[in-house]
Amino acid sequence: MYNKSEIAFEQSKKLIPGGVNSPVRAFKSVKCNPIFFDHGKGSKLYDVDGNEFIDCISSWGPLIFGHADKITQEKLNEYLLKGTTYGAPTIIESKMAKKIIELVPSIEKVRMVNSGTEATMSAIRLARGYTSRNLILKFSGNYHGHGDSFLIKAGSGAMTLGLPDSPGVTKNTAKDTIIAEFNSIESVKEQFKQNLDQIAAVIIEPVAGNMGLVKSRRDFLVELRNICDENKTLLIFDEVMSGFRLAAGGAQEVYNVIPDITTLGKIIGGGLPVGAYGGKSEIMDFLAPNGPVYQAGTLSGNPLAMSAGLSVLNRLNKKLYEKLENITKKIEKGFLKNIKETKSKAIVNRAGSMMTLFFTDQEKIESYNDAVRCNLDQYAKYFKNMLDMGIYLPPSQYECMFISSAYSENDIKKIIDCNKKSLELL
Ligand code: KE4
């Protein structure tokens, strides 16, 4: 069934650390070998053995319209014929910036970079430069990319592999990152009390997707905004995952809580490497060449990625989000029915087209401490059952499903039916 993937993995392990270019792809926590894919189309992925899967990861979020989206490809081909990169300004970069500013409530100016990690690293440097303070407050279980300052109680692959605090991050760096508990305003107040006038920024995933899907409570976000204002601390929403996915204006539109800086990625690249960070002009103009905070990038804003990203952002409309909501709500409803009928110890967290089925006997999961009590062995077995039935889930309990608009009614039915069979097999 997966022979060619096995052979490919044996080969890649000789060439690439762990055989993969990003750790969570190694399938370590689900105790099986990764699948190597040959191509995708719409809601489907096809592996090198010719197996077909319904893709529930969408490349960790970017592919909101599914694989090999026709309009994105046409735009890419058009720009490909003109060249690939110039290392100089192009009009399409301004078009992209204008579109992001139109869509994201907090953004008056935006800088393009090449990944979500670059966006968050740059955002905290900007916040430190703008406030002349050193400390960054982040939340347990939140993942903001692999920048040194973030690999402290980090989520996603770091949490999956049990490496939330990575070696190689110096004590001097780590001391400038302080931790609070997600959805616990008391823990935030305590840190501000302990570190008066020293906190440059609070960075948060307003809808967390890196400990599995855990939403902020709205009152928590509102209080967080107030505490930042009272302490002249910048509030950074890391919307690399939630941006353009939960709504055209991301989580900040849904919650109506406006950060000072927003970081973006994934969907804005249409499948090509892109990140971005933006905020109030007064803050963003602190960046070189206007201001003293330096950040740069050879391929930042490259026209190919801009053309792919814009082909997506230009199609974000109410109808799309209604479709994504309907598809994902049907799957959630089906899962909840199956959990009940199979008497499984599991719950489902969902925000728009992001969703996680947690194996737990807890009533709800609202924090890192809740999430770490999940049954990882159950998830691993469930993952493999679903994989063998042709449903490609995130290979970690601490990741999210990302649903695309390319799902058919048959896809929805198949996912729900396979979910039931997989739960029965546990
Ligand atoms: P990238 O550097 O991977 O483009 O973005 C980092 C990042 C920043 N902020 C948030 C909220 C993120 O979710 C991410 C990256 N997400 C992971 C999935 N949990 C990427 C997948 C991977 O690491 O392979």
Side-chain angles (χ1 to χ4, degrees), residues 50-203:
N51 299 307
E52 179 187 279
F53 299 86
I54 298 174
D55 181 17
C56 299
I57 306 184
S58 307
S59 183
W60 303 100
L63 303 178
I64 202 161
F65 291 114
H67 291 276
D69 169 56
K70 196 164 168 299
I71 295 174
T72 302
Q73 292 196 317
E74 282 164 2
K75 264 293 161 211
L76 262 175
N77 287 332
E78 183 189 323
Y79 272 80
L80 201 52
L81 295 174
K82 298 161 75 143
T84 52
T85 176
Y86 315 108
T90 57
I91 300 284
I92 194 167
E93 290 166 73
S94 303
K95 284 184 180 166
M96 170 62 105
K98 188 165 179 289
K99 192 68 191 169
I100 291 172
I101 291 163
E102 254 171 43
L103 293 173
V104 184
S106 59
I107 295 184
E108 294 174 353
K109 280 192 178 165
V110 60
R111 170 65 60 86
M112 302 310 297
V113 291
N114 294 291
S115 69
T117 295
E118 255 197 281
T120 55
M121 282 167 63
S122 309
I124 62 169
R125 181 183 311 133
L126 173 60
R128 285 171 162 150
Y130 182 76
T131 61
S132 305
R133 295 176 179 179
N134 294 337
L135 298 186
I136 298 293
L137 187 153
K138 76 174 283 292
F139 292 88
S140 299
N142 275 194
Y143 177 73
H144 305 292
H146 63 86
D148 279 4
S149 300
F150 303 120
L151 293 181
I152 292 105
K153 281 274 203 185
S156 184
M159 189 168 164
T160 298
L161 297 170
L163 308 166
D165 308 302
S166 170
V169 176
T170 66
K171 285 198 172 32
N172 274 343
T173 301
K175 73 175 175 38
D176 287 338
T177 299
I178 56 177
I179 300 292
E181 294 313 309
F182 197 76
N183 275 325
S184 156
I185 205 66
E186 289 317 313
S187 68
V188 174
K189 286 177 181 169
E190 185 54 30
Q191 287 289 23
F192 272 88
K193 205 167 107 200
Q194 301 286 337
N195 302 283
L196 207 53
D197 300 337
Q198 296 175 62
I199 302 175
V202 171
I203 184 166

Side-chain angles (χ1 to χ4, degrees), residues 22-25 60 114-118 120 143-146 156-157 205 209-210 238-241 263 266 274 398-399 402:
S22 195
V24 75
R25 299 177 191 171
W60 303 100
N114 294 291
S115 69
T117 295
E118 255 197 281
T120 55
Y143 177 73
H144 305 292
H146 63 86
S156 184
E205 292 180 57
N210 289 294
D238 179 356
E239 296 223 47
V240 166
M241 247 187 200
T263 56
K266 296 183 192 275
V274 187
Y398 302 133
E399 297 286 358
F402 293 94

